Amino acid sequence: MNKEVLGIDIGGSGVKGAVIDLKKGTLVTERVRIPTPTPHSPQTLLDGIQTIIDGFGWKGVIGCGFPGVIRSQTIETAANIGGKKFIGINLAEEIGIKTGLEAWIVNDADAAGVAELRYGAGRGCRGVVLMLTVGTGIGSSMFIDGTLVPNLEFGHLKMRDKNTGRNVAAERLCSDAARKSHDLQWKQWALRFNKYLQYIQFLCRPDLIIIGGGVASKSDKFLKYIEVDSDVVVAKLENRAGMIGAAYEASKYLKV
Ligand code: BGC
């Protein structure tokens, strides 16, 4: 049997889990999704994680993607999931206390990028590769010759909101959630997103940009409007990338 880890992907609206085959980067079980427990708090989240673990009867290592900056396994930001209550929490330790299982925590976009570079659209790619996950927020991860530069927060670059004249986090204007809540046509959204990509390109000139998250399955609606001087491709692992990458990262740091 190949090595397996339970991959969990925590998002603002759903928590997803599946057992991952690390050699193939595939799901061994079905993907389970529960709504992110509310009110958002470390306690309700830990209950949700426990529910997923129990559903699989899992007894091994857990890799967990979280939508915020993670350093030394501790949450430093949590913009789209409850904010302050999560700051300073060592989530790996808390999962250990709650479940008795060893866990490893990684930023959700870093996890998705790791998975795409190892098993998906960026497989074997060298140079500077940028992965963007465009969903509730915008996550970003960057790789230099395959090595991750962790906790890059390009979703929080400031952009001008034309309607209010204020500078706001880019993800408030260009995420998939923003597209829906501002009721934008795909073309309108794509032109905004293109400006954002051009801004990023000006800052760091990636060789390749991989676009994942909710919009990835709709690439026919927006890719034609994207004009940047990098190769742009759509992620391959769809909504599995976060779980797969988190599982893989856990296997690097914990004994599987
Ligand atoms: C967070 C990032 C996260 C992204 C996608 C942003 O608001 O700051 O850490 O990767 O959302 O979930």
Side-chain angles (χ1 to χ4, degrees):
M1 192 180 81
N2 293 333
K3 285 185 176 174
E4 293 176 358
V5 166
L6 175 62
I8 294 184
D9 186 9
I10 299 167
S13 55
V15 182
K16 292 129 293 196
V19 179
I20 307 299
D21 177 322
L22 293 172
K23 190 162 179 211
K24 300 189 204 148
T26 52
L27 274 58
V28 178
T29 60
E30 61 171 333
R31 169 183 172 273
V32 165
R33 181 188 189 278
I34 58 165
T36 307
T38 49
H40 290 165
S41 76
Q43 287 68 33
T44 58
L45 180 63
L46 286 165
D47 290 343
I49 290 172
Q50 178 86 65
T51 305
I52 291 181
I53 293 170
D54 292 347
F56 290 113
W58 184 249
K59 300 272 183 262
V61 165
I62 300 163
C64 198
F66 182 87
V69 170
I70 306 292
R71 287 205 303 161
S72 305
Q73 298 297 286
T74 300
I75 298 169
E76 292 195 357
T77 70
N80 289 319
I81 180 172
K84 284 196 182 125
K85 284 176 265 175
F86 285 87
I87 312 301
I89 299 280
N90 181 321
L91 191 56
E93 209 169 83
E94 295 298 331
I95 292 176
I97 293 167
K98 172 99 183 165
T99 68
L101 301 177
E102 274 199 295
W104 187 260
I105 313 301
V106 57
N107 170 266
D108 59 348
D110 286 352
V114 163
E116 290 293 340
L117 259 83
R118 193 167 172 85
Y119 309 104
R123 199 171 172 165
C125 286
R126 300 190 64 78
V128 177
V129 179
L130 177 72
M131 164 97 188
L132 293 174
T133 60
V134 186
T136 309
I138 296 183
S140 52
S141 56
M142 184 178 272
F143 298 81
I144 301 174
D145 290 341
T147 301
L148 172 68
V149 181
N151 289 314
L152 197 73
E153 287 284 337
F154 276 179
H156 291 268
L157 286 174
K158 291 287 187 282
M159 283 180 78
R160 190 161 174 275
D161 180 347
K162 274 192 188 154
N163 293 326
T164 62
R166 292 220 177 107
N167 287 333
V168 297
E171 66 178 12
R172 300 276 159 252
L173 298 174
C174 302
S175 64
D176 200 29
R179 180 184 65 79
K180 290 176 189 156
S181 69
H182 298 180
D183 214 3
L184 299 176
Q185 305 289 315
W186 274 104
K187 183 175 178 185
Q188 285 175 294
W189 176 82
L191 294 174
R192 258 188 203 193
F193 186 62
N194 189 47
K195 274 202 180 141
Y196 171 61
L197 290 185
Q198 287 176 344
Y199 182 21
I200 288 179
Q201 208 197 6
F202 167 76
L203 293 174
C204 63
R205 311 219 169 237
D207 298 303
L208 173 69
I209 301 176
I210 303 174
I211 299 179
V215 300
S217 60
K218 298 282 172 14
S219 59
D220 56 316
K221 303 220 187 285
F222 71 86
L223 266 191
K224 55 187 173 227
Y225 301 111
I226 302 301
E227 280 179 29
V228 282
D229 195 15
S230 302
D231 292 336
V232 178
V233 296
V234 171
K236 278 202 181 137
L237 301 174
E238 299 169 343
N239 54 19
R240 305 183 303 280
M243 296 181 298
I244 295 172
Y248 178 76
E249 283 295 285
S251 77
K252 276 187 7 198
Y253 297 97
L254 302 174
K255 196 162 177 314
V256 177

